[in-house]
Amino acid sequence: MADIVDELKSVVGTGNVLTSESATYGYRKGFRFGDGKVEAVVIPSSLVELWRIAKLAVEAGRIILMQASNTGLTGGSTPDGNDYDRPIILISTRRLKGIQLLGEGKQVVCLPGADLYELEQMLAPLGREPHSVIGSSCIGASVLGGVSNNSGGALVQRGPAYTEMALYGQVDGEGRLHLVNHLGIRFQNEEVAESVLDALEHGRYSPDDVDWSGEQKAHDDDYVNRIRQVDEASPGRYNADPGRLFEASGNAGKLIVFAVRLDTFPAAQDTAVFYIGSNKTDTLEKVRRHLLTAFEELPIAGEYMHRDAFAIADKYGRDTVALIRFLGTKYLPLMFRMKAWVDSFARRISWLPDGLSDLLMQFGSRFLPSQVPARMMDYHRKYDHHLMLRVSGTLAQQVRPWLKSFFADDQGAEGAFFECTTQEGTLAFLHRFAAAGAANRYVAVHGKSTGGMMALDVALRRNDWEWLERLPPEVDDQLVLKLYYGHFLCHVMHQDYVVKPGVDPMDVEQRFMWPILDKRGARYPAEHNVGHLYHAPQSMADHYRSLDPCNCLNPGIGRQTKKKNWAAESV
């Protein structure tokens, strides 16, 4: 152990190689799921350092576990227990910042540590926006993490994170590390990996070196067509879609990705937000179908919350809303690291409770006023189902009169809507996003009266009128809480369940939830990757094997074997 640790320190410096349990805790412990031992956590400061670290680890026969922001929900970038057949070197890319504009910002090259906040801030003065915005379930996510996990998102016009242009390291079946340049940018000394990586990081290439032929896609350009097909008996997007697995896209840590190239998009001007409430699921489904089929332009976003999720988000997520409202997302990665440090400290003191950081934050939130605007709170009292629509100013001129007509008495639609002020619109979407962490907080605060939680993100059939789940009594009786929210126009739902004391959430999920979803024709997970929770379907498992024939990077992902060279697990 000492030999490789010393070698790693010689590359990145002693302070950037962590080995103690407390120092590595925030990297080993997943945002919601996953934990295990590592030999070391290494934090490089350049792409060349990343290459050298990876090369050392490969030559020493170590497992490499790549990690960006550690905001995943299925444990895909953390160890999964301690039953690996080789020691793990976890490489955190959070210091590898860097975003480069191509074609006056029409495309970008993002290095491993670039996050969506930084990308959004860089593009804003150019009147452009990234492929995704503030995450629905984890805030502060990295760009590469999204691409690597085929993450979805709230933006109806842009689809899941996807590109066919990337620069990455790949370990072959003989255990040798190679650099593969499919970025569409030419570099001098292409045969020398460190020369290419240093040139990329420092922008040493000219506009003439950039290929604009368009042969490789830089976003999922077919998504808008798929999502409009509301009568298809299949999901519009889901994580394991074979058509969205391409090299770095959906690699799930099976490659060492140094950079990706992505399209950007013109920023919508003069947007409007409409807030809809109803007690009938059919009403919202009629709205969804009309919005996707009747207008030439698609909405920007359409987010759903059930009344119960609304209430829990208000009580257990208001500090998240307030933090983003007043500070933005810039400081959230730092807040996550501080949270991990507090929890790591608490684990070492026997009389301190688990989830100390959540307990402290929830105590502080008691002194905050509700962040929910009055008109939204009024709808909460009246309606079970809430839909937030963000549209461009142009589309608003068509949607506004249609909604007025739709909710008129002669339309048979039960419910109402209002057009948000700028502040109401911002808070509506922040409130919806805060719902994702609210169940976690609830469990932390009520740990003694619950048995834990399970979180599902589900891609429903595009033609599914029965989109709201109805659980049988034998399942319902095991739950304390069930929360429904999601990307409604895409028919992607997030479903969080808190179980009663003594109930194993994973047992309930596997024995009951999965068969129910299978019967409904749903696909899961929809956008957070299989991680270590779900079985990878064959197409996804084949993708992993083709990228990583030695099973040296993130073994065990998709509940595949953790053994070297994909050896079968012993029975």
Side-chain angles (χ1 to χ4, degrees), residues 18 24 27-29 36 38-44 53 63-68 77-79 88-93:
L18 314 177
T24 60
Y27 302 89
R28 294 184 291 105
K29 183 74 171 66
V38 298
E39 187 171 9
V41 170
V42 189
I43 314 171
I53 291 165
I63 288 169
I64 296 176
L65 208 164
M66 300 296 298
Q67 185 180 98
S77 60
T78 55
I88 297 172
I89 302 297
L90 190 155
I91 303 176
S92 169
T93 62

Side-chain angles (χ1 to χ4, degrees), residues 57-98:
V58 168
E59 291 172 353
R62 295 327 198 240
I63 288 169
I64 296 176
L65 208 164
M66 300 296 298
Q67 185 180 98
S69 298
N70 192 15
T71 55
L73 305 186
T74 57
S77 60
T78 55
D80 175 42
N82 299 312
D83 58 343
Y84 293 86
D85 61 348
R86 291 149 289 168
I88 297 172
I89 302 297
L90 190 155
I91 303 176
S92 169
T93 62
R94 63 179 177 82
R95 296 173 67 203
L96 302 178
K97 301 291 187 180

